[in-house]
């Protein structure tokens, strides 16, 4: 099992990623109020829950190329399907933001996370934010013939709040990019900071 948590103004939502069940609990009493979802490939079913979010009208459960839409009472409404592989979706105004992992090709030294804008039918409109989220670092203790590497993950985050999308990544430093509901850039936040050096001793300890 792989449980996750999402809290909004109505409920505390907990879902099991692989059993594909969603449970909603009262803020005040912690009593279970809703239970919905099941594992499968039919309407309202998921093979694995990859994302979860809500707005004032609906609950959205992502399952790779699909979003299952429910009422705020947990009643199934419809499935929306994407033609391309997307990890999870979030509603943004009249659109959706989808999160996509672009894994490295042979010879490439990093992986990329990309947030893309989709219409209500899950047709891709454009890419709005991307950044490296993992980097390959060589083991300082290995020789050239037996080179070993370690992937270091940067922190990244994509959040929808009040019809705006916020994309952040430590790969760019102390950085946040802000977009409107149509995926147009509004402004950026970037603050200077002094990164802590990673010494050879630290790398050796990790390896």
């Amino acid at each position: 099992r792989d449980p996750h948590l999402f809290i909004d103004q109505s409920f505390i939502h907990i879902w099991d990623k692989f059993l594909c069940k969603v449970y909603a609990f009262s803020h005040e009493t912690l009593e279970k109020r809703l239970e919905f979802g099941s594992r499968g490939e039919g309407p309202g079913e998921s093979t694995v829950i990859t994302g979860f979010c809500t707005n004032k009208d609906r609950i959205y459960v992502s399952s790779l190329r699909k979003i299952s839409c429910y009422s705020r009472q947990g009643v199934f409404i419809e499935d929306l399907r994407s033609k391309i592989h997307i990890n999870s979706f979030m509603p943004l105004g009249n659109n959706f933001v989808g999160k996509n992992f672009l894994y490295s090709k042979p010879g490439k030294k990093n992986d990329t996370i990309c947030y893309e804008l989709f219409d209500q039918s899950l047709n891709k409109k454009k890419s709005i934010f991307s950044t490296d989220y993992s980097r390959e670092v060589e083991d300082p203790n290995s020789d050239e013939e037996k080179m070993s590497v370690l992937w270091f993950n940067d922190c990244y985050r994509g959040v929808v709040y009040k019809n705006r999308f916020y994309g952040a990544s430590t790969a760019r430093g102390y950085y946040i990019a802000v977009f409107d509901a149509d995926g147009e850039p509004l402004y950026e936040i970037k603050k200077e900071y002094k990164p802590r050096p990673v010494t050879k001793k630290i790398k050796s300890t990790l390896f």
Side-chain angles (χ1 to χ4, degrees):
R1 295 192 176 193
D2 190 4
H4 296 262
L5 179 72
F6 183 94
I7 300 174
D8 61 17
Q9 293 180 343
S10 299
F11 297 113
I12 301 169
H13 300 87
I14 298 174
W15 70 94
D16 190 300
K17 180 176 181 178
F18 296 110
L19 291 182
C20 303
K21 281 277 190 182
V22 178
Y23 309 90
F25 298 85
S26 163
H27 285 277
E28 292 77 21
T29 65
L30 299 183
E31 292 180 275
K32 186 173 72 172
R33 297 293 180 83
L34 301 175
E35 178 181 333
F36 59 93
S38 60
R39 184 172 173 79
E41 298 183 359
E45 297 178 336
S46 306
T47 53
V48 58
I49 295 179
T50 57
F52 182 97
C53 59
T54 66
N55 59 18
K56 65 179 182 179
D57 300 316
R58 290 188 173 189
I59 296 171
Y60 299 91
V61 179
S62 296
S63 177
L64 298 178
R65 297 188 182 188
K66 184 176 80 169
I67 311 174
S68 293
C69 306
Y70 298 84
S71 73
R72 293 309 303 260
Q73 290 73 45
V75 177
F76 174 70
I77 299 173
E78 63 177 336
D79 282 338
L80 303 174
R81 296 183 180 273
S82 171
K83 296 178 181 178
I84 61 177
H85 181 91
I86 293 292
N87 185 264
S88 61
F89 292 92
M90 298 175 284
L92 176 62
N94 294 321
N95 299 302
F96 288 95
V97 174
K99 180 173 68 174
N100 195 8
F101 293 96
L102 305 178
Y103 295 106
S104 62
K105 298 177 181 179
K108 193 170 182 284
K109 297 294 184 180
N110 53 18
D111 288 336
T112 302
I113 184 78
C114 184
Y115 290 92
E116 301 171 322
L117 193 71
F118 294 80
D119 64 18
Q120 283 288 315
S121 299
L122 296 191
N123 297 308
K124 180 180 173 180
K125 298 174 76 171
K126 60 182 177 181
S127 298
I128 57 176
F129 179 77
S130 64
T131 186
D132 293 339
Y133 75 94
S134 62
R135 291 170 282 130
E136 184 181 287
V137 178
E138 296 177 354
D139 182 354
N141 298 320
S142 64
D143 55 40
E144 292 184 2
E145 293 182 0
K146 298 180 179 180
M147 182 66 69
S148 61
V149 298
L150 185 67
W151 286 91
F152 285 90
N153 287 349
D154 285 291
C155 295
Y156 68 89
R157 187 70 171 170
V159 176
V160 172
Y161 180 70
K162 292 186 177 180
N163 275 341
R164 290 187 177 184
F165 173 76
Y166 297 80
S169 172
T170 57
R172 299 190 185 187
Y174 190 107
Y175 177 82
I176 302 171
V178 186
F179 301 83
D180 67 15
D182 294 315
E184 294 298 318
L186 295 174
Y187 58 90
E188 297 178 342
I189 300 169
K190 188 168 185 178
K191 295 187 177 182
E192 296 299 324
Y193 74 103
K194 185 177 181 180
R196 182 179 178 184
V198 180
T199 64
K200 185 175 182 179
K201 182 179 179 181
I202 293 174
K203 292 180 182 179
S204 298
T205 302
L206 285 170
F207 277 97

